[in-house]
Amino acid sequence: MNAGIIGIGRSLPEKIVTNFDLEKIMDTSDEWIRTRTGIEERRIADDQTDTSDMAYEAAVKAIENANISAEEIDLILVATVTPDQPFPSVACMLQEKLGAKKAAAMDISAACAGFMYGMVTAKQFIETGTYKYVLVVGAEKLSKVVNWEDRNTAVLFGDGAGAAVMGPVSEGRGILSFELGADGTGGKHLYQDEYVIMNGREVFKFAVRQMGESSINVLEKAGLSKEDVDFLIPHQANIRIMESARQRFELPEEKMSKTVRKYGNTSAASIPISIVEEVEAGKIKDDDLIVMVGFGGGLTWGAIAMRWGL
Ligand code: UT7
């Protein structure tokens, strides 16, 4: 039995904050942000909206898109580093809001690689026949943990959520291979004290190396080569990091998701938000081979090679 994505949805706050808006509140410029990161604007949630609200909206859409009911979900996994509170988990809050009565529920803390960790965890339950449907959500309200006086980090992040219902798909479809990893010795380069603290240059070096290695590794594990890749969804942190992964695959520009421009870095939500965007734009089609690769605080990383479709 193969595990794949059978329904998707996302939620993005309405409020758009452009680089020009940030110029007015801190010592930065649209030019610096665009050329160093690729970001042009990001979405910021209002005071009434927390991580669980965005997670819920994305989840409702994904469940509808999967054509199942919430009561059929066996497990809810929410990847987040910005839960509403330490506990109960966002996953438990979702379980209540959705009325997913039989679902077990827990959050996953693997920062920007969280959605990859969630999908791979779901795969284990589905492929062993233990569970049929697993709801995997990446949801973040990073704006509440960003120091708006620190230009090194404040310009990078955005809020949002993306969700996928995972379930059994036909042979040859779904997750073909994966790689997860962690290096706790690098934890000091990206962490939250009161606010997010980051050594940008160190994270940059790690990200370029790891994204390249992990994405090639999953292809090898699946017995495929870079010529087989139809679409690349890297974690949307910085266009320069993403470009290095794309060049390694020798993929044309239009075959890589670049939602970072509009949404900034939404941590665990960036990959599922991109999946929805690219499927809706017709860029990911039935039978396409897609490679997803994330990295983040921990340090953590994860990559998945997946054949799209049911
Ligand atoms: O989800 C995972 C999370 N994180 C990442 O993926 C981040 C990875 N790292 C990066 O994306 C990049 O390192 C950054 C975008 C954070 C920074 O780009 P950089 O090219 O590595 O710049 P830098 O840190 O070397 O800083 C260059 C200069 C510094 O000035 P000095 O010291 O050279 O005078 C900074 O103070 O740019 C300055 N700077 C800014 N200037 C205008 C830093 N932030 C800003 C800003 N506006 N927002």
Side-chain angles (χ1 to χ4, degrees):
M1 194 158 5
N2 285 4
I5 290 179
I6 63 165
I8 49 173
R10 66 174 170 173
S11 167
L12 287 156
E14 274 172 29
K15 185 176 173 194
I16 296 171
V17 174
T18 66
N19 294 344
F20 299 103
D21 294 327
L22 294 179
E23 280 182 358
K24 291 175 201 147
I25 57 168
M26 65 184 78
D27 180 19
T28 190
S29 66
D30 170 61
E31 214 259 327
W32 191 95
I33 302 170
R34 248 186 320 103
T35 53
R36 298 289 180 122
T37 72
I39 300 167
E40 290 165 20
E41 54 188 50
R42 71 284 293 139
R43 301 296 179 92
I44 301 293
D46 60 30
D47 291 345
Q48 283 75 49
T49 306
D50 211 335
T51 300
S52 65
D53 300 301
M54 294 181 278
Y56 174 67
E57 192 182 319
V60 167
K61 290 179 186 165
I63 293 165
E64 206 179 286
N65 185 240
N67 213 5
I68 64 163
S69 73
E71 289 83 9
E72 292 176 88
I73 296 168
D74 299 296
L75 173 65
I76 299 173
L77 300 171
V78 178
T80 186
V81 288
T82 50
D84 297 36
Q85 67 273 310
F87 69 92
S89 63
V90 176
C92 280
M93 297 173 77
L94 260 192
Q95 195 248 20
E96 186 205 0
K97 284 191 190 192
L98 292 167
K101 291 193 195 74
K102 80 166 175 186
M106 66 173 170
D107 286 358
I108 291 179
S109 176
C112 308
F115 195 77
M116 296 293 92
Y117 271 72
M119 282 187 67
V120 171
T121 306
K123 167 187 153 72
Q124 313 307 319
F125 286 109
I126 295 164
E127 292 189 357
T128 51
T130 313
Y131 291 147
K132 188 169 183 194
Y133 296 123
V134 182
L135 172 66
V136 187
V137 185
E140 305 282 8
K141 188 179 181 184
L142 288 156
S143 59
K144 69 182 175 184
V145 296
V146 156
N147 179 357
W148 288 96
E149 285 170 12
D150 176 13
R151 69 175 183 173
N152 289 301
T153 52
V155 302
L156 304 175
F157 298 104
D159 301 334
V165 175
M166 291 187 60
V169 292
S170 40
E171 215 180 309
R173 300 287 174 94
I175 296 181
L176 306 178
S177 62
F178 72 87
E179 174 177 286
L180 295 180
D183 175 11
T185 64
K188 56 184 177 288
H189 299 315
L190 177 54
Y191 62 96
Q192 188 194 334
D193 193 354
E194 186 184 355
Y195 297 118
V196 175
I197 314 280
M198 183 174 72
N199 180 339
R201 279 183 211 180
E202 284 302 322
V203 178
F204 193 99
K205 280 191 278 179
F206 153 71
V208 168
R209 191 183 65 242
Q210 202 55 56
M211 292 247 271
E213 276 177 26
S214 297
S215 41
I216 297 290
N217 288 347
V218 290
L219 280 183
E220 277 175 9
K221 282 186 190 176
L224 297 164
S225 63
K226 55 189 183 188
E227 291 75 31
D228 297 312
V229 178
D230 294 301
F231 205 82
L232 177 64
I233 303 194
H235 167 47
Q236 306 285 305
N238 183 317
I239 198 92
R240 288 152 55 211
I241 299 172
M242 293 156 51
E243 278 298 328
S244 73
R246 183 179 70 79
Q247 278 154 15
R248 220 159 152 152
F249 278 127
E250 294 163 38
L251 267 186
E253 248 196 89
E254 65 276 10
K255 294 205 164 187
M256 178 177 77
S257 187
K258 288 183 201 151
T259 59
V260 69
R261 284 182 186 152
K262 291 193 288 183
Y263 310 130
N265 179 351
T266 57
S267 187
S270 94
I271 291 176
I273 287 173
S274 285
I275 295 174
V276 179
E277 181 111 352
E278 305 304 353
V279 169
E280 284 179 359
K283 290 200 185 169
I284 295 177
K285 299 174 296 301
D286 196 38
D287 218 32
D288 276 354
L289 179 75
I290 60 172
V291 171
M292 298 171 261
V293 56
F295 65 92
L299 299 166
T300 56
W301 62 90
I304 289 174
M306 168 179 258
R307 181 77 61 191
W308 191 255
L310 301 177

